Amino acid sequence: MAFKSDIQIAREAAKRPIQKIGEKLGLSSDDLLPYGHDKAKISQSFIDSVQDRPDGKLILVTAINPTPAGEGKTTTTVGLGDGLNRIGKKAAVCIREASLGPNFGMKGGAAGGGYAQVVPMEEMNLHFTGDFHAITSAHNLLAAMIDNHIYWGNELEIDTRRVVWRRVVDMNDRALRQITASLGGVPNGFPRETGFDITVASEVMAILCLARDLSDLQERLGAMIVAYRRDRSPIFARDIKADGAMTVLLKDAMQPNLVQTLENNPAFVHGGPFANIAHGCNSVIATTTALKLADYVVTEAGFGADLGAEKFMNIKCRKAGLAPSVVVVVATVRAMKMNGGVAKADLGAENVAAVQKGCANLGQHIENVKSFGVPVVVAINHFVTDTEAEVQAVKDFVAEQGAEAILSRHWELGSEGAADLATRVAEIADGDSANFAPIYPDDMPLFRKIETIAKRIYRADEVLADQKIRTQLKDWEDQGYGDLPVCMAKTQYSFSTDPELRGAPRDFSVPVREVRLSAGAGFVVVICGEIMTMPGLPRVPSAEAIKLNADGDVEGLF
């Protein structure tokens, strides 16, 4: 049986004017700043006006470690949001914006799938409302001002060997990972080694997603460390006098974006830090605004629960004072079989034994999420090749873990297919059974925070870090940064730092290659294994298949 592609379904959507979507949440036309007919930003004045309202229930959607078989976390997030509205609840969805890098690299788009999508799909996967361009520009303005300060006499006495602020671009471009800048003689400045990260790894992106308002945004931007003097004393962005202009560039980007699902339910799409190299959550301002306007807010955290959910709990919730009422862990029968050793080409054949073997990965995620004091529901994202025996194997395993697994067919049926999942999630959220707490306290030493995550979440035996890294962490503690949480950067494909170790590996170490202080965002980035903060394109990038057809429509976005 042939199924329509995501982009075909999205084009056939009966979208409503964005003002009508806003009305569902109590927004008037004056509260919206439209970008065309089907997307808008929510004004800061409206956001300020609803702060005295009570919060709705926060529902986090996370997943097992991603596999080439597909898990469908965003699809499940959207389907659950639609399902809640279908059963009579007032619900909104909060997800991240898509980065051009993976869109043209591996993914080809990121707005859900099947009949559980957010639209306009094409605009969301391309330039959308320009937020990422604003972040890129603000980040690189600061980089230009640093080099300009050095060129015009270096009054701050910046040690050019210790400029830590790199540049960014929202594209996978491995050639820019390490570069030499300012070549060409005296007119071009002082040559030095630097490099590029992808925009979604920028501290500016992290700050935009954690800031409460524009004044908080500017204060955080000013607190970013960009370089050091010869005596190792830090130079801040405010010392360069860049924080004001950066805030101006980010003024509109700071306002959350409102769009709609295929079933015309409200969706906030704002911010987009990667979960494998950043903190992997949509913006705090979008989430907190949605909680003031809806009774249930369904949000997601990137990649598997070992990355996105861990950072959602330990960073976003800690910083924003949030607490999820229930967590949904997404799994698929196909992914269980891959974790059980089945090759991708053989996933269509029934293999209950492989499903059972692969459930070890799911079990560790369930246990980890429970350790934060929140109840867990497993959503089995249905594929048409799944058999009853395979689905039952997953349900039986989850029951043994003290949780419940519910088959959800939102990809195929939209909200109708997610109604059972929505009903159970709402029941648990309304039951107030959550007792949320991060897994480490603020005052724990930084290296012990790293060890806590590596041992309790990944199940590693040890963390490997040379003396230089340990000394750097101790220096930051002495400078007053010891109470910050840590943001682990590692492969998304495994609990370990080896992407080939699927399932629930044991007897491994976590090597720490580098640590970076994001003083403005308020966390320490811990770069593990071979993970890159500037990804590269695959051998056959999605960009090769993306084009305009004879009618002027985009083809190739999934």
Side-chain angles (χ1 to χ4, degrees), residues 142-155:
L142 175 55
M145 291 180 71
I146 294 166
D147 286 322
N148 187 62
H149 179 89
I150 295 170
Y151 179 82
W152 288 108
N154 197 6
E155 182 181 346

Side-chain angles (χ1 to χ4, degrees), residues 326-330 375-379 398 403-406 421 424-425 428:
V326 59
V327 176
V328 177
V329 178
V330 180
V376 178
V377 173
V378 172
V398 173
E404 183 178 355
I406 300 172
L421 176 65
R424 186 67 184 117
V425 167
I428 296 174

Side-chain angles (χ1 to χ4, degrees), residues 65-66 96 102 107 172 198 200-201 272-281 301-304 306-311 458 487-494 525-536:
N65 292 97
R96 293 171 297 161
K107 296 176 74 173
N172 294 0
I198 192 166
V200 288
F274 275 3
N276 58 350
I277 52 181
H279 69 285
C281 309
F303 293 128
D306 58 316
L307 286 168
E310 182 270 308
K311 295 171 184 179
Y458 308 156
C487 181
M488 305 295 283
K490 75 169 187 71
T491 180
Q492 65 268 34
Y493 297 113
S494 172
V525 179
V526 183
I527 300 175
C528 304
E530 300 301 316
I531 193 70
M532 295 292 179
T533 51
M534 168 56 84

Side-chain angles (χ1 to χ4, degrees), residues 30-318:
D30 292 338
D31 301 321
L32 296 173
L33 308 171
Y35 280 65
H37 301 292
D38 50 13
K39 53 190 177 295
K41 284 188 169 291
I42 299 174
S43 71
Q44 185 64 52
S45 59
F46 175 81
I47 294 171
D48 294 340
S49 72
V50 298
Q51 293 308 303
D52 59 346
R53 297 184 185 180
D55 287 338
K57 301 289 187 178
L58 182 59
I59 300 161
L60 174 66
V61 177
T62 184
I64 60 172
N65 292 97
T67 69
E71 285 67 53
K73 177 164 44 58
T74 303
T75 306
T76 303
T77 301
V78 177
L80 176 56
D82 281 339
L84 286 165
N85 280 289
R86 183 183 184 88
I87 64 172
K89 308 296 185 181
K90 185 179 181 182
V93 168
C94 281
I95 63 175
R96 293 171 297 161
E97 299 178 53
S99 166
L100 293 177
N103 284 356
F104 290 106
M106 291 285 288
K107 296 176 74 173
Y115 287 93
Q117 292 188 58
V118 175
V119 287
M121 184 261 216
E122 293 162 68
E123 287 93 330
M124 282 179 52
N125 284 317
L126 298 172
H127 303 290
F128 199 29
T129 58
D131 293 345
F132 281 24
H133 300 313
I135 291 166
T136 302
S137 296
H139 182 112
N140 291 335
L141 170 64
L142 175 55
M145 291 180 71
I146 294 166
D147 286 322
N148 187 62
H149 179 89
I150 295 170
Y151 179 82
W152 288 108
N154 197 6
E155 182 181 346
L156 292 170
E157 298 181 350
I158 295 171
D159 184 346
T160 56
R161 301 167 302 174
R162 295 189 173 96
V163 176
V164 295
W165 193 255
R166 293 154 61 87
R167 286 166 166 80
V168 297
V169 63
D170 191 31
M171 197 58 63
N172 294 0
D173 193 345
R174 63 172 58 84
L176 294 177
R177 285 173 181 161
Q178 208 69 22
I179 66 168
T180 303
S182 301
L183 296 179
V186 173
N188 297 340
F190 297 86
R192 64 180 181 86
E193 191 174 359
T194 182
F196 278 73
D197 295 327
I198 192 166
T199 295
V200 288
S202 167
E203 186 176 357
V204 178
M205 172 68 81
I207 286 173
L208 181 127
C209 289
L210 291 169
R212 296 183 302 274
D213 50 38
L214 284 173
S215 61
D216 185 34
L217 176 74
Q218 180 163 349
E219 183 176 345
R220 288 172 176 271
L221 292 172
M224 296 186 301
I225 294 175
V226 299
Y228 293 88
R229 300 178 179 87
R230 287 180 178 270
D231 64 2
R232 304 297 180 91
S233 60
I235 306 288
F236 298 94
R238 59 176 174 264
D239 297 326
I240 302 293
K241 298 182 176 62
D243 50 322
M246 294 174 73
T247 304
V248 170
L249 282 173
L250 296 170
K251 176 175 65 70
D252 292 337
M254 184 66 184
Q255 299 173 107
N257 305 300
L258 179 67
V259 287
Q260 62 191 288
T261 68
L262 291 176
E263 300 189 17
N264 311 123
N265 293 311
F268 294 75
V269 181
H270 194 221
F274 275 3
N276 58 350
I277 52 181
H279 69 285
C281 309
N282 73 291
S283 75
V284 165
I285 194 169
T287 303
T288 54
T289 300
L291 285 167
K292 299 297 184 184
L293 305 179
D295 297 328
Y296 301 85
V297 174
V298 186
T299 189
E300 67 171 6
F303 293 128
D306 58 316
L307 286 168
E310 182 270 308
K311 295 171 184 179
F312 180 89
M313 310 283 199
N314 280 324
I315 298 177
K316 180 174 179 176
C317 289
R318 185 194 304 263

